[in-house]
Amino acid sequence: MSVSDLIGALDAIPKLTAPSSATEPSSVFLDAPEWLTEEYLQDALRKYYKDQRLRINWVKVNPALGKGENYGGVLTRVKAQFTSSDGTSQLGHYIVKSTFEGNEFAQNTMEPYDIFNREMTIYEQVLPKQKSLLREIGDAEQIFAETMAVDLDNSALIFEDLNARGFVMPDRLVGLDLKLARIVLRKLAKMHATSAVLNEREEHSLEGYDRGFFNRYTENYAPAFIGMFEAATRRVAQWPGYEKYAEKMEALVPIYMELGKRIFDITPGQINVLAHGDLWTNNVLVKYDKETGEPEDVIIIDFQYTAWGSPALDLFYFLNTSLEFDLHQNHQEQLIAYYFDIFSNTLRKLQYQAPVPSLHQFHQQLHTKKFYAAHTSISVFPIQRNVETADADFNALMENNQRAINFKNACYTNPISQRILRELLPGFVAEGLLDVDQ
Amino acid sequence: MVEQGKQDAKDFHPAPVWLDEPYLERLLKDLKKDPNLKITDLEIRPATAKGDNYASVMTRVKVFYLKSGAKNPEIEYYIVKTTYENDAFSSGIFSQYQVSTTEMRMYEKILPQLTSLIGKTRQPEKLFAKTLHVDYEHEAIIFEDLAVPGYVLADRLIGFDLEHTRLGLRKLAKMHAAAAVLNERQPGVLTQFDHGIFNRHTQGFAPFFVNMVGVASNFAKECPELGEPYAKKLKELQKRVMEYSERVYDPQPGEFNTLVHGDYWVNNVMLRYGEQKEPLDMTLIDFQFCSWSSPAVDLHYFFNTSVQSAIRFEQQDALIQYYHSVLVETLKDLNFGGYTPTLRQLILQLEKGRFFAVTVALVCQAILTNDQTADADFHALMKDDERGRNFRKLLYTNKRLQDNLKYELPRFDRSGLLDVTD
């Protein structure tokens, strides 16, 4: 079932809506955060459009994603018809992103990662400055969604709903093709470059973002990553001729989290950026040309896991989760070169003061972080390509019980994930990426 | 890189005049510690054909001798290696590299000690021809004739298949490990070697390397798969090829350094084959360009000159892993206390030195794949006259070279290795 099928199905479910009335409306919507009332929305719209007499005519509210599509919180789709003080009416489409509610386990587990506060701060304070930097060099490209409101009290963000502008999530089961990959990398390069410049101009203001997937504060993601890695090991052990690989993987488990943390540690002498932290197919929205079906534009979303560190964090993650098989296996270097050209040029245009590495130096820097490519291909890719969505939820990912183990094992029944393992493991091992002694 | 002459040409270099029976008898008496030893028969045969090259001249010696009190003579076979200084141009350049001194020191002092160390590991094996004697006055090296136990030169035009490559890497790893240990035990004994093909004392070979990169640029220009962008980059690269290559040779503190062979290609090893033509053993020869450096020097050189392209392109990672495993095992056997790189660390070192793969692929590979003439004509490689330019252009008409470069150049480019950065 594709994402758009799911959204279509959900859209068909009748929702509670409030008719316009003379008094201030305030209704409760099903399957949405309880504070998300019509009054709330009206206030937000009034503030955004700077129009105190704006009135909502009707509102429709749906959950935005299904199981297996998002482990990072609650997404609610809002359609609102409203009339401005000048009498004009328009239909607004928004996405409301809010915290896990009623899932105490999720809230506790994710607390040290601080994903909601981080994302709000990023949207409120950082991304707009990056946008200004691009404007500074005459670049009008839109890279991320416009925010309509940032609500610190409710830990919520309201964005323009890009779906209404024709942006959709690409099929996560297929992976991006070359054209699409390049568009994403172009945007990523600009984001990275502007972040490096911003950090420089603002006296290291971005270096405090140090709570990515692997960090020196918490290992709460360990059940997910090690759980997946162990499920991979069990699968690999079944394949004739792969016994030695399974042994090597087994031996790596005790230091797996430490190896991940080293990737996120800042290595002196390397260029660092504000990495997106979770850049994969589902965090990329695409606008396809209606006639040709060709990808025209891309918006990057979901900044919950941003972290200051090596561009490798995003490059290896993206390239090992989000590409068509042939690109994943054979063309990563070309894509990195494409990214780097734009990255380095943007840095120079913005008069980045610190030394810009040469492509070969950059290549060497990425090499020091290459364990992340192995980690992503082995332990993350299969989550994202999982088709067994019955148990695909946060708890199954982050727990260690039988249900969670079953879920992870199921991820490795996917033939595509198996193929990735089969074909890439020998290379990872030959490169010493699964050695205990690295 | 500079080869020995054809074996069946008519004119051979004469044997050195001082190489006579009295000389050899004095030598054997001394070495065998037997003052009454007598030579009963002696065959001296020149083994190197004449040519325009600066080349090592080999002379084959078969000596029958009687030890004191013995009834039956013993037979030993040697090669006497001397240099033929035919032309001032060549010898002038080669002497800047101290090739004779380096090789004499290697055969006299270093190789025997490396042999002794390797003999103490769990899996000892033969790496070099046994040195009989080094004569500094005559600039001659006398060592065992490897042809006698059946070692032959490999076919350089075919290049090494997987089995040969692994054998070559195993030997190389053991040499590298033993050298690291030797210098640990006798600090400075090997770090003094600093006149490799690229070094910080002379750029005598610069015309050769710079001109060949220019030829590569011209080739790229006419090649539809490559074209002007590559031609331009290679032209720019001419100015920096020497410096960038020298940087790879500079030993770095905090990295693994050792005595590199410095000219580790298919023509500088000898092989012994079994009945099914399977390679049984390999020995290393020609130690004119040894220097203290990163193993990246030998590994990039070896892969880009001597290994069949399919293996070079598709199996290099696994083969480096294999080299590393032998290196580490040998270092461990010898209780090496210095820095032992993990596989990742070795890979990073190789990546750092990867510009050298470009140099070797563009320049040395052209000589290796050359099937037009057996000899690397040194004048033709170095000189900027019409004959030189034509010869170098001819080297680049080789189809295998062209195919390899069409594959390799885009990949080098993708890693930024063709860029002039400083």
Short mmCIF file of all heavy atoms in Angstrom, two decimals, chain B residues 127 167-177 259-261 264 284 295 298-299 302 323 327:
data_model
loop_
_atom_site.label_atom_id
_atom_site.label_comp_id
_atom_site.label_asym_id
_atom_site.label_seq_id
_atom_site.Cartn_x
_atom_site.Cartn_y
_atom_site.Cartn_z
N LEU B 127 62.27 -14.81 0.19
CA LEU B 127 61.82 -13.60 -0.49
C LEU B 127 62.84 -13.10 -1.51
O LEU B 127 62.46 -12.46 -2.49
CB LEU B 127 61.56 -12.48 0.53
CG LEU B 127 60.09 -12.13 0.81
CD1 LEU B 127 59.32 -13.34 1.32
CD2 LEU B 127 59.99 -10.99 1.79
N LEU B 167 50.02 -13.81 -4.24
CA LEU B 167 51.40 -14.22 -3.94
C LEU B 167 52.28 -12.98 -3.82
O LEU B 167 53.06 -12.83 -2.87
CB LEU B 167 51.89 -15.14 -5.06
CG LEU B 167 53.25 -15.80 -4.95
CD1 LEU B 167 53.41 -16.51 -3.62
CD2 LEU B 167 53.44 -16.79 -6.11
N GLY B 168 52.15 -12.08 -4.76
CA GLY B 168 52.94 -10.85 -4.73
C GLY B 168 52.65 -10.01 -3.50
O GLY B 168 53.55 -9.40 -2.93
N LEU B 169 51.41 -9.98 -3.08
CA LEU B 169 51.05 -9.18 -1.91
C LEU B 169 51.53 -9.83 -0.62
O LEU B 169 51.92 -9.15 0.33
CB LEU B 169 49.53 -8.98 -1.87
CG LEU B 169 48.99 -8.02 -2.92
CD1 LEU B 169 47.47 -8.03 -2.93
CD2 LEU B 169 49.50 -6.60 -2.70
N ARG B 170 51.50 -11.15 -0.62
CA ARG B 170 51.98 -11.86 0.57
C ARG B 170 53.47 -11.57 0.79
O ARG B 170 53.91 -11.26 1.89
CB ARG B 170 51.75 -13.37 0.42
CG ARG B 170 52.04 -14.15 1.71
CD ARG B 170 51.77 -15.62 1.53
NE ARG B 170 52.90 -16.34 0.97
CZ ARG B 170 52.80 -17.29 0.04
NH1 ARG B 170 51.63 -17.60 -0.46
NH2 ARG B 170 53.88 -17.88 -0.40
N LYS B 171 54.22 -11.66 -0.29
CA LYS B 171 55.66 -11.40 -0.19
C LYS B 171 55.93 -9.95 0.21
O LYS B 171 56.76 -9.65 1.05
CB LYS B 171 56.35 -11.68 -1.54
CG LYS B 171 56.17 -13.10 -2.06
CD LYS B 171 57.11 -14.08 -1.40
CE LYS B 171 56.88 -15.49 -1.92
NZ LYS B 171 57.85 -16.45 -1.39
N LEU B 172 55.19 -9.08 -0.41
CA LEU B 172 55.38 -7.66 -0.12
C LEU B 172 55.07 -7.36 1.34
O LEU B 172 55.82 -6.62 2.01
CB LEU B 172 54.47 -6.83 -1.04
CG LEU B 172 54.69 -5.31 -0.98
CD1 LEU B 172 56.05 -4.95 -1.55
CD2 LEU B 172 53.59 -4.58 -1.75
N ALA B 173 53.98 -7.92 1.84
CA ALA B 173 53.60 -7.69 3.23
C ALA B 173 54.68 -8.17 4.18
O ALA B 173 54.98 -7.52 5.18
CB ALA B 173 52.28 -8.39 3.53
N LYS B 174 55.28 -9.30 3.86
CA LYS B 174 56.33 -9.84 4.74
C LYS B 174 57.57 -8.96 4.69
O LYS B 174 58.21 -8.72 5.72
CB LYS B 174 56.65 -11.28 4.37
CG LYS B 174 55.49 -12.22 4.68
CD LYS B 174 55.87 -13.68 4.67
CE LYS B 174 54.62 -14.51 5.01
NZ LYS B 174 54.90 -15.94 5.17
N MET B 175 57.90 -8.49 3.51
CA MET B 175 59.05 -7.58 3.41
C MET B 175 58.78 -6.31 4.20
O MET B 175 59.62 -5.86 4.99
CB MET B 175 59.33 -7.24 1.95
CG MET B 175 60.46 -6.22 1.83
SD MET B 175 60.81 -5.78 0.11
CE MET B 175 61.77 -4.27 0.37
N HIS B 176 57.60 -5.74 4.02
CA HIS B 176 57.24 -4.51 4.74
C HIS B 176 57.28 -4.72 6.25
O HIS B 176 57.79 -3.89 6.99
CB HIS B 176 55.86 -4.03 4.31
CG HIS B 176 55.81 -3.40 2.96
ND1 HIS B 176 54.63 -3.06 2.33
CD2 HIS B 176 56.80 -3.04 2.10
CE1 HIS B 176 54.90 -2.51 1.15
NE2 HIS B 176 56.21 -2.50 0.98
N ALA B 177 56.73 -5.83 6.70
CA ALA B 177 56.69 -6.09 8.14
C ALA B 177 58.11 -6.27 8.69
O ALA B 177 58.47 -5.66 9.71
CB ALA B 177 55.85 -7.33 8.42
N LEU B 259 60.27 0.13 4.74
CA LEU B 259 61.11 0.21 3.56
C LEU B 259 60.30 -0.31 2.38
O LEU B 259 59.94 -1.48 2.34
CB LEU B 259 62.37 -0.62 3.75
CG LEU B 259 63.40 -0.34 2.64
CD1 LEU B 259 64.02 1.04 2.83
CD2 LEU B 259 64.48 -1.42 2.62
N VAL B 260 59.98 0.58 1.47
CA VAL B 260 59.24 0.15 0.29
C VAL B 260 60.21 -0.31 -0.78
O VAL B 260 61.34 0.19 -0.86
CB VAL B 260 58.30 1.25 -0.24
CG1 VAL B 260 57.33 1.71 0.84
CG2 VAL B 260 59.06 2.43 -0.81
N HIS B 261 59.77 -1.25 -1.58
CA HIS B 261 60.60 -1.75 -2.68
C HIS B 261 60.87 -0.62 -3.67
O HIS B 261 61.99 -0.44 -4.14
CB HIS B 261 59.89 -2.92 -3.35
CG HIS B 261 60.64 -3.47 -4.52
ND1 HIS B 261 60.67 -2.87 -5.76
CD2 HIS B 261 61.40 -4.59 -4.64
CE1 HIS B 261 61.40 -3.59 -6.59
NE2 HIS B 261 61.87 -4.63 -5.94
N TYR B 264 58.00 -1.92 -7.50
CA TYR B 264 57.40 -3.25 -7.34
C TYR B 264 56.42 -3.53 -8.46
O TYR B 264 55.23 -3.31 -8.34
CB TYR B 264 56.73 -3.36 -5.97
CG TYR B 264 56.44 -4.79 -5.55
CD1 TYR B 264 57.46 -5.72 -5.44
CD2 TYR B 264 55.14 -5.22 -5.28
CE1 TYR B 264 57.21 -7.03 -5.07
CE2 TYR B 264 54.88 -6.53 -4.90
CZ TYR B 264 55.91 -7.43 -4.81
OH TYR B 264 55.67 -8.73 -4.43
N LEU B 284 61.66 -11.53 -4.96
CA LEU B 284 61.73 -10.14 -5.35
C LEU B 284 63.13 -9.81 -5.81
O LEU B 284 64.13 -10.30 -5.23
CB LEU B 284 61.38 -9.25 -4.15
CG LEU B 284 59.90 -9.05 -3.80
CD1 LEU B 284 59.13 -10.36 -3.70
CD2 LEU B 284 59.77 -8.31 -2.49
N PRO B 295 53.57 2.25 2.81
CA PRO B 295 53.33 1.12 1.91
C PRO B 295 52.43 1.48 0.74
O PRO B 295 52.39 0.76 -0.26
CB PRO B 295 52.65 0.07 2.79
CG PRO B 295 52.38 0.71 4.09
CD PRO B 295 53.16 1.97 4.19
N ASP B 298 54.26 1.21 -2.65
CA ASP B 298 54.35 -0.09 -3.32
C ASP B 298 52.98 -0.60 -3.76
O ASP B 298 52.85 -1.19 -4.83
CB ASP B 298 55.00 -1.12 -2.39
CG ASP B 298 56.52 -1.05 -2.38
OD1 ASP B 298 57.10 -0.42 -3.29
OD2 ASP B 298 57.13 -1.65 -1.47
N LEU B 299 51.98 -0.39 -2.94
CA LEU B 299 50.67 -0.95 -3.26
C LEU B 299 50.05 -0.27 -4.47
O LEU B 299 49.56 -0.93 -5.39
CB LEU B 299 49.75 -0.87 -2.03
CG LEU B 299 50.15 -1.84 -0.92
CD1 LEU B 299 49.47 -1.50 0.40
CD2 LEU B 299 49.82 -3.29 -1.31
N PHE B 302 52.10 -1.35 -7.55
CA PHE B 302 51.86 -2.74 -7.92
C PHE B 302 50.50 -2.91 -8.61
O PHE B 302 50.39 -3.49 -9.69
CB PHE B 302 51.94 -3.61 -6.66
CG PHE B 302 51.72 -5.07 -6.89
CD1 PHE B 302 52.57 -5.81 -7.70
CD2 PHE B 302 50.66 -5.75 -6.27
CE1 PHE B 302 52.38 -7.18 -7.90
CE2 PHE B 302 50.48 -7.11 -6.46
CZ PHE B 302 51.32 -7.82 -7.27
N TYR B 323 46.52 -8.35 2.12
CA TYR B 323 47.87 -7.80 2.39
C TYR B 323 47.97 -7.40 3.86
O TYR B 323 48.94 -7.72 4.54
CB TYR B 323 48.13 -6.60 1.48
CG TYR B 323 49.24 -5.68 1.97
CD1 TYR B 323 50.57 -5.90 1.61
CD2 TYR B 323 48.95 -4.61 2.82
CE1 TYR B 323 51.58 -5.07 2.08
CE2 TYR B 323 49.97 -3.79 3.30
CZ TYR B 323 51.27 -4.02 2.93
OH TYR B 323 52.26 -3.20 3.41
N LEU B 327 50.55 -8.67 6.78
CA LEU B 327 51.40 -7.65 7.42
C LEU B 327 51.28 -7.74 8.94
O LEU B 327 52.28 -7.84 9.66
CB LEU B 327 50.98 -6.26 6.95
CG LEU B 327 51.79 -5.09 7.53
CD1 LEU B 327 53.12 -4.95 6.81
CD2 LEU B 327 51.00 -3.77 7.42
#
